Structure formats: structure tokens, C-alpha cells
């Protein structure tokens, strides 16, 4: 699909995220200290209907990506809910796969350890909302490999398509590019910043946001 041809699934997702209040416009400070004209907070997919729809978006994009996997892994904390929602939707579509997630701190009683859920084995797909620095992906890879399994890819809701920061400076690559090039994992995202811009462009009432987001893309984009 060309850059100028809107991706129907991505456009549907962006519209859904905006209407759900998960994707907002204004002035927001990112983890990197940048002033962003938009903010995507997957924690606001906070009821059954929204979460079910989100699982459907992930599943459709994942199936279309062609990435082969045996199970799902959700990094704490947001990834836990996302992996669970995706697992439910995949089962509804006839593909019942196990999922697991990690605790932030090791449990010293009961079953112990940092991993919860199904045994981590085979090809493991990491499910998260966005990648800011790739830290959670690196941590997930370490946990998956320590369990004797193989990380096989990453599924995201949104690819911000912006430069990562290293030692306080802008890098030439994005966090997603770092994961694909340096860590060797394919990444599939339901939507990208370019998809967001395509959503904003046709609507005159959203022009002020389109201008601000485009300026941000011009300054920090990859």
C-alpha cells in the first residue's frame, strides 16, 4: 500500500482511538522531554467494549502481518491487558494461543518467580502499546530467552515514527527501527503517525491539529 493510499484498518483504529479519548490533542510532555501535540494512552481503553475492540484491531493487524508465533507475552503493566485482549480475540477467531506476562518484582511465595501464565516456550510474540526507548522490549527478550523460548516479533497499537533518544540526544533511528535493526525482531503496528496525519488531513475542523502534528513529525520524525 502506497504512502498516499490510506490503510483502512489504520484509519478505523485512529478514529476509534480519538472517539474513545485514548488519542488526544493538545500539549503533552513525552518521556524524552519533547512537547508533543498528541498523546496516546492505552490505559484509557478502560472498559469491556473498548478493550474488545482493541483486541480485534490487534488481531486483524497481526494476522495480516504474517508473523509466525506460538504464544503471546505482555510486558508489565499495560502489555498484560493487551496480550490478554489479543488472546481472547484470537481464540474467538479460531486460533487459541497461550499467553504469559511478567511481574515488576519477583514473588517470593506461592509459585514464586517473575513470570505468570502459560509456560513460556516456542516462538513468543511481545504485545505492547507503543515503544518509546525499546527498554521494555529488551527486558522482555531477556525474560523470554531465560525461559528457553525465542522472541519472534512485537505487536504495537501505535508506531510514533519519531527519533529515539540516547544519552539525552536525538538518535537517527526510532525505537521501532532499533528493535527491527539491532534486535532483529519484526514489528507490526495497528497504526503509525503517518496514518494519524492522513486521518487529520481531510477534516477542516482538525486542521490546527494536523498542522501541529506535521510540524512535530518534521522535527522529530524518521
Amino acid at each position: 500500500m502506497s504512502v498516499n493510499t490510506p490503510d483502512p484498518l489504520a484509519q478505523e483504529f485512529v478514529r476509534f482511538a480519538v472517539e474513545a479519548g485514548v488519542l488526544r490533542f493538545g500539549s503533552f510532555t513525552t518521556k524524552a522531554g519533547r512537547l508533543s501535540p498528541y498523546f496516546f494512552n492505552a490505559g484509557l481503553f478502560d472498559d469491556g467494549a473498548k478493550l474488545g475492540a482493541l483486541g480485534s484491531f490487534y488481531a486483524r493487524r497481526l494476522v495480516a502481518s504474517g508473523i509466525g508465533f506460538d504464544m503471546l507475552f505482555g510486558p508489565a503493566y499495560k502489555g498484560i491487558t493487551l496480550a490478554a485482549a489479543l488472546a481472547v480475540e484470537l481464540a474467538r477467531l479460531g486460533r487459541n494461543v497461550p499467553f504469559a506476562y511478567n511481574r515488576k518484582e519477583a514473588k517470593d511465595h506461592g509459585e514464586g518467580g517473575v513470570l505468570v501464565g502459560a509456560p513460556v516456550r516456542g516462538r513468543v510474540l511481545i504485545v505492547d502499546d507503543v515503544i518509546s526507548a525499546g527498554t521494555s522490549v529488551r527486558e522482555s527478550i531477556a525474560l523470554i530467552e531465560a525461559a528457553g523460548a525465542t522472541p519472534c516479533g512485537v505487536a504495537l497499537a501505535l508506531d510514533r515514527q519519531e527519533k529515539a533518544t540516547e544519552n539525552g540526544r536525538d538518535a537517527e533511528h526510532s525505537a521501532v527501527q532499533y528493535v527491527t535493526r539491532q534486535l532483529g525482531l519484526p514489528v507490526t503496528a495497528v497504526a503509525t503517525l503517518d496514518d494519524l496525519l492522513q486521518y487529520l488531513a481531510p477534516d477542516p475542523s482538525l486542521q490546527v491539529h494536523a498542522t501541529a502534528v506535521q510540524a512535530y513529525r518534521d522535527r522529530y520524525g524518521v
Side-chain angles (χ1 to χ4, degrees):
M1 188 170 292
S2 72
V3 174
N4 296 321
T5 304
D7 177 327
L9 179 62
Q11 292 302 305
E12 184 185 348
F13 175 70
V14 172
R15 184 177 300 105
F16 163 65
V18 171
E19 292 175 353
V22 173
L23 181 55
R24 300 179 177 182
F25 302 100
S27 183
F28 308 92
T29 302
T30 69
K31 286 183 180 179
R34 297 169 183 160
L35 210 56
S36 173
Y38 74 98
F39 182 58
F40 180 82
N41 182 3
L44 295 177
F45 289 112
D46 55 6
D47 63 33
K50 293 175 191 173
L51 197 56
L54 180 61
S56 174
F57 282 113
Y58 268 100
R60 283 184 279 167
R61 180 62 80 208
L62 181 57
V63 170
S65 76
I67 297 175
F69 62 97
D70 301 309
M71 69 174 295
L72 308 175
F73 181 83
Y77 289 102
K78 287 180 182 175
I80 298 173
T81 304
L82 300 175
L86 175 53
V88 169
E89 179 62 17
L90 288 172
R92 192 186 69 81
L93 296 174
R95 176 87 192 274
N96 188 28
V97 297
F99 79 98
Y101 57 92
N102 67 298
R103 298 185 177 95
K104 285 287 189 179
E105 297 179 358
K107 187 177 178 183
D108 58 6
H109 60 280
E111 72 277 21
V114 295
L115 297 178
V116 185
V120 177
R121 57 175 65 129
R123 299 168 299 172
V124 184
L125 181 81
I126 300 166
V127 185
D128 215 338
D129 54 350
V130 297
I131 300 178
S132 298
T135 304
S136 68
V137 173
R138 289 195 297 270
E139 292 174 348
S140 296
I141 288 173
L143 289 169
I144 291 166
E145 291 181 338
T150 304
C152 66
V154 182
L156 302 175
L158 180 69
D159 178 0
R160 288 181 60 98
Q161 295 181 300
E162 67 180 76
K163 295 176 179 178
T165 55
E166 294 180 352
N167 300 317
R169 297 182 179 181
D170 292 342
E172 291 304 311
H173 57 264
S174 71
V176 167
Q177 289 173 334
Y178 171 81
V179 171
T180 57
R181 297 172 184 175
Q182 303 303 121
L183 303 182
L185 295 181
V187 177
T188 184
V190 180
T192 66
L193 182 55
D194 284 338
D195 294 316
L196 171 56
L197 283 166
Q198 287 186 321
Y199 169 80
L200 294 172
D203 191 336
S205 68
L206 297 175
Q207 190 55 52
V208 63
H209 301 311
T211 300
V213 173
Q214 184 61 60
Y216 187 83
R217 178 101 171 90
D218 292 342
R219 180 172 182 181
Y220 296 114
V222 293

